[in-house]
Amino acid sequence: MNDHRSTALIVGVNGIVGSEIARRLAIRDDWDVHGLSRSAHELPPRVRPILGDLRDAQSLAPALKDVRPTHVFFTAWSRQENEAENIRVNRAMTRNLFETLAPAGTVRHAALMTGLKHYMGPFEAFGTGEMSETPFREESARLDVPNFYYAQEDELFAAAERDGFAWSVHRAHTVTGYAVGNAMNFALTLAVQGAIARETGTPLIFPGTELVWNHLTDISDSRVVAEQMIWASTTPGIGDEAWNVTNGEIFRWRWLWPRLADALGVDWEGPTSEPRPLVGQMTGKEGLWEEIADRYGLEERRLDRVASFWHTDSDLGVEVEVVADMTKSRLAGFDTYVGTERAFLDLFDRYEADGLVPARPHRA
C-alpha cells in the first residue's frame, strides 16, 4: 500500500453526514473512497458503492472482501421500537462491521458519529430524566441508563483494542444538511413545513416548548461534522478521544425562527404554553404533499421521505437547556465555524434547486 494514500470506508454513505464526508474526500487525489449502504444511491464521482447490510454479518464479508480501508467513518444507525432493541440492533451492526474488517488488519482510525443523547438520555427518556449539566462537556460520565450510543462506543473501543487502531467519537446536535430519506434531517423538515404553510395560508408554527424558544442552544451543520470527523481521523496525536461538534454559534430560537419564516415566505407563530408538535400539525398531510409534488414537479411525493417530524419534535419539545461546549475541539486546533442562519438559507436554496421543495414565491 502506498503510504501517501488513504482508503476511506464510509458506513452510511447515503446519510446526511456520510454523504458529506464522501463529497469532501472524493475530490482529494490522496484518497480512495468506498461508500457502504443497504441500497443503491447516486454517489459523488470517484466514490465506489458497496451494497451490504450491517445487520446481516454474512452479507458483509463478500461485500467488503476487496476493501482494505485505512479509515472508517461510521455514520449509520437503525431506529427500533424501543431502546432495548436500539441497543441490540445497533450494537450488532457495529460489531459485525469491525469483525468483518479485522482479518485484513488495515484500519488505522475509526470515527463514530453519535449525538447529544449521550448527555440527555435515549429517545424514551430524552431530556426528561437524569442528564449531564450544560454546557455538555466530553469528560462527563455516562448516564446510568441504557443507551445505544454507549453500546456503539463499547463495540468501537473493543475493536480498537483488539485490532490496534485509533478511534474518535463525534457528538453532534440536531444535524442539518443535504440528504433525502434521512431519519433526522431538521432543515429539510423545516423547508417542507414552510412549503405546506405557504400552500395552506397558515403560519410557520414553532412546535416546541417555551423554554427551548427562549434558552440558548446550538446546531450541527453536516459540513462541520464531516470536517471534524476527517480532522480527527488524520491529525497526528489526537486519537482515542470524544469530541462535541456544533456550528460554533450559540443562538435562541426566538431570534432565528422569525428569520427562517421570512426566508420561507410565511408568517410565524412562537410557542404557546403547551407544545404544538409537528407530528400533530402534519397529520393527514400526506395527500396534500402528493398534490404539491405533482403541481411543482418535485422529486419526492412521499412526505415521510422528505420530513422527519418526530425527530424535530423530539429536539424542540424538551423542557431543558441544550448546548454543547466546543472548548476541547478549539484548543486541539479544530476551528471550523458555520453561521447557522446562513447554513439554513443555503440548504433551502439547494432543496429548491434540486426539486425537493417548491420554489419560494419571491425567488420563482
Side-chain angles (χ1 to χ4, degrees):
M1 182 181 295
N2 187 332
D3 290 339
H4 298 292
R5 293 191 65 79
S6 299
T7 299
L9 175 62
I10 303 170
V11 182
V13 70
N14 295 344
I16 195 167
V17 172
S19 60
E20 189 63 43
I21 296 172
R23 283 188 284 270
R24 289 170 182 272
L25 292 183
I27 62 175
R28 293 176 52 167
D29 292 334
D30 55 341
W31 283 85
D32 297 317
V33 186
H34 305 262
L36 177 66
S37 61
R38 283 189 296 164
S39 59
H41 194 276
E42 183 178 355
L43 298 176
R46 296 186 62 243
V47 177
R48 177 192 168 194
I50 300 173
L51 297 183
D53 189 344
L54 292 172
R55 297 172 299 182
D56 179 6
Q58 299 302 313
S59 78
L60 288 180
L64 295 171
K65 64 183 178 63
D66 296 325
V67 182
R68 299 291 184 269
T70 57
H71 296 76
V72 175
F73 299 91
F74 198 109
T75 68
W77 72 289
S78 178
R79 186 188 181 202
Q80 304 298 310
E81 292 184 357
N82 55 60
E83 194 61 16
E85 280 299 291
N86 279 334
I87 291 170
R88 184 185 68 81
V89 171
N90 288 281
R91 182 194 298 277
M93 288 168 55
T94 311
R95 181 190 305 124
N96 289 343
L97 176 77
F98 288 109
E99 287 185 348
T100 302
L101 296 176
T106 58
V107 177
R108 299 201 297 260
H109 189 107
L112 170 68
M113 175 188 165
T114 64
L116 297 194
K117 286 187 290 297
H118 184 96
Y119 307 109
M120 299 181 66
F123 286 118
E124 296 172 4
F126 185 65
T128 61
E130 177 193 0
M131 58 179 283
S132 303
E133 184 177 23
T134 55
F136 301 131
R137 293 178 172 85
E138 293 91 339
E139 67 268 21
S140 300
R142 288 181 176 182
L143 304 177
D144 189 21
V145 292
N147 191 318
F148 83 87
Y149 283 166
Y150 303 162
Q152 286 183 304
E153 285 186 347
D154 287 344
E155 291 297 330
L156 172 67
F157 301 158
E161 182 175 4
R162 179 192 67 216
D163 300 331
F165 60 79
W167 57 264
S168 57
V169 175
H170 303 265
R171 298 169 185 163
H173 176 207
T174 309
V175 179
T176 59
Y178 188 88
V180 180
N182 185 268
M184 301 187 293
N185 193 342
F186 189 99
L188 183 53
T189 298
L190 187 56
V192 169
Q193 182 190 2
I196 290 175
R198 288 197 305 273
E199 290 294 315
T200 57
T202 55
L204 192 76
I205 297 173
F206 186 76
T209 64
E210 291 179 319
L211 188 150
V212 170
W213 177 261
N214 290 309
H215 277 215
L216 290 169
T217 192
D218 47 33
I219 270 181
S220 303
D221 187 275
S222 63
R223 294 169 296 179
V224 181
V225 182
E227 278 291 323
Q228 193 195 64
M229 294 181 76
I230 295 169
W231 166 81
S233 298
T234 58
T235 301
I238 61 167
D240 302 347
E241 297 277 359
W243 307 93
N244 291 337
V245 54
T246 70
N247 290 353
E249 175 193 29
I250 297 174
F251 65 93
R252 301 183 201 273
W253 279 110
R254 70 187 188 201
W255 170 81
L256 184 59
W257 193 261
R259 301 169 79 92
L260 297 181
D262 182 66
L264 291 168
V266 294
D267 295 328
W268 61 274
E269 288 184 10
T272 56
S273 58
E274 293 293 330
R276 292 178 283 180
L278 284 175
V279 167
Q281 292 186 43
M282 299 298 161
T283 296
K285 295 294 193 300
E286 293 83 1
L288 173 60
W289 185 257
E290 291 180 359
E291 295 175 9
I292 293 172
D294 292 341
R295 184 180 310 126
Y296 295 99
L298 303 182
E299 293 294 320
E300 182 55 66
R301 298 177 77 246
R302 278 179 50 183
L303 185 58
D304 64 346
R305 287 275 300 166
V306 291
S308 50
F309 299 125
W310 67 273
H311 183 259
T312 300
D313 288 340
S314 175
D315 274 353
L316 300 182
V318 296
E319 290 285 0
V320 294
E321 180 181 70
V322 184
V323 63
D325 181 70
M326 285 290 291
T327 302
K328 181 179 178 181
S329 284
R330 301 305 181 218
L331 292 176
F334 181 72
D335 58 3
T336 300
Y337 287 82
V338 171
T340 298
E341 180 184 8
R342 183 73 260 163
F344 271 107
L345 300 186
D346 289 347
L347 285 168
F348 293 164
D349 287 343
R350 188 173 177 190
Y351 298 151
E352 290 181 11
D354 287 359
L356 296 178
V357 295
R360 291 158 283 177
H362 61 286
R363 299 192 178 188

